[in-house]
Amino acid sequence: MDALPVCDAYLLMEIIHDWADAEAVAILKAVRRTAPPHARLLVIETIVPDDSGPDWSKMLDIHMLTLLGGRQRTRQEYEVLLDSAGFCFEQEIDTSADIAILEAVMA
């Protein structure tokens, strides 16, 4: 893997959902190893709602699982991944476009 540049902010858009938990955490840890203490991480993904009702993200979850071995996740599941990689979840920013921006900082 190529070394990541040192940045003030890192943006991962529609990357993490391609991977199972172990690989997703490995990607996040790679960012964490390089990121300076003041850096922010922005993860842009479709978030699966916590309710049991229908949502297009749940169909996308099935596609991700069967085609790539990845998965769509709830916000809480992303928080666990971020925590496992040494990040602290700060906020979810709703874009009103069926995707959200999850903002995290170094733990």
Side-chain angles (χ1 to χ4, degrees):
M1 174 195 290
D2 292 339
L4 296 173
V6 175
C7 300
D8 293 329
Y10 295 84
L11 174 69
L12 299 175
M13 182 172 180
E14 297 181 344
I15 304 280
I16 301 301
H17 75 167
D18 287 346
W19 303 96
D21 288 351
E23 291 83 3
V25 169
I27 292 167
L28 294 169
K29 281 183 176 181
V31 173
R32 180 65 185 93
R33 276 192 300 277
T34 300
H38 66 276
R40 296 196 169 268
L41 172 64
L42 303 173
V43 177
I44 302 175
E45 293 281 357
T46 299
I47 306 299
V48 175
D50 289 325
D51 63 41
S52 61
D55 190 86
W56 80 277
S57 64
K58 295 173 183 178
M59 182 59 73
L60 184 57
D61 185 33
I62 294 169
H63 287 277
M64 295 307 299
L65 177 62
T66 57
L67 298 174
L68 300 171
R71 57 186 289 222
Q72 299 303 118
R73 295 174 174 90
T74 64
R75 189 183 89 198
Q76 290 76 22
E77 290 170 326
Y78 275 107
E79 288 181 37
V80 169
L81 291 181
L82 291 164
D83 183 64
S84 297
F87 288 95
C88 180
F89 173 80
E90 284 223 322
Q91 67 174 323
E92 177 181 350
I93 302 166
D94 181 14
T95 65
S96 299
D98 290 330
I99 59 172
I101 303 168
L102 303 176
E103 183 178 358
V105 295
M106 306 307 125

